[in-house]
Amino acid sequence: MNRAVRGSDGRRWTLKTNIEWSDPLQVDEWELDVSGGRSPGVVMGTIVFVMIAAFLLWTPTAVIVPIWVVLALLVLILFFPVRWLVRRPWTVIADTPGDTDEHPPERWVGVVRGALTARQESARVARNIELYAEPDMNGALQPVE
C-alpha cells in the first residue's frame, strides 16, 4: 500500500506498507527460541493428516458423518496456516525527499505484525505527519540514517 501525505511543514511524505514473507531480524522474538524452526510444524501437520486419513479410511460405510465433524476437521487443518498468513510481519516506511537544507531527506522504518495492525499504524503515522510534520518517535517507526 502506498500513500502520499503532506506534512504540516509542507513536505511531501510517501507512506508504504509491505508484507514480509520472511521474518526480518527486528521481529525475531522469543518465539523462535521455543519453536525450534519448521520441523515441529511439519511433524504436527503430518500427524494431523495421518489421523484424519485414518479416521476417513476406517469409517464403516453405514456410518453417516455429520457435516459439523467435517467442518471441525477443516478448521483444525486450516487454523495454523491461516494464523501464519494473518500474523505475517509488515514493514511500514515513511520517506520524504526533503526540499531545502532546513528539511533534509528523512526515512522512518518500522515493523508491525498483522494486516490490520499495519493499516492502523500507517493511518496513525499519516495523521502524525499531517499534525506534527514527522512520525511519532514513540511509535513503531524509527528514523534510519
Side-chain angles (χ1 to χ4, degrees), residues 100-114:
T100 63
D101 291 337
E102 183 182 338
H103 299 292
E106 289 186 46
R107 180 177 179 91
W108 293 60
V109 179
V111 177
V112 294
R113 281 202 177 267

Side-chain angles (χ1 to χ4, degrees), residues 64-96:
I64 299 172
V65 179
I67 191 71
W68 65 267
V69 173
V70 175
L71 291 175
L73 291 176
L74 187 64
V75 167
L76 180 68
I77 292 170
L78 293 178
F79 176 76
F80 287 107
V82 169
R83 181 181 179 271
W84 177 85
L85 185 63
V86 169
R87 296 291 299 159
R88 293 307 315 149
W90 286 71
T91 302
V92 182
I93 303 169
D95 277 327
T96 183

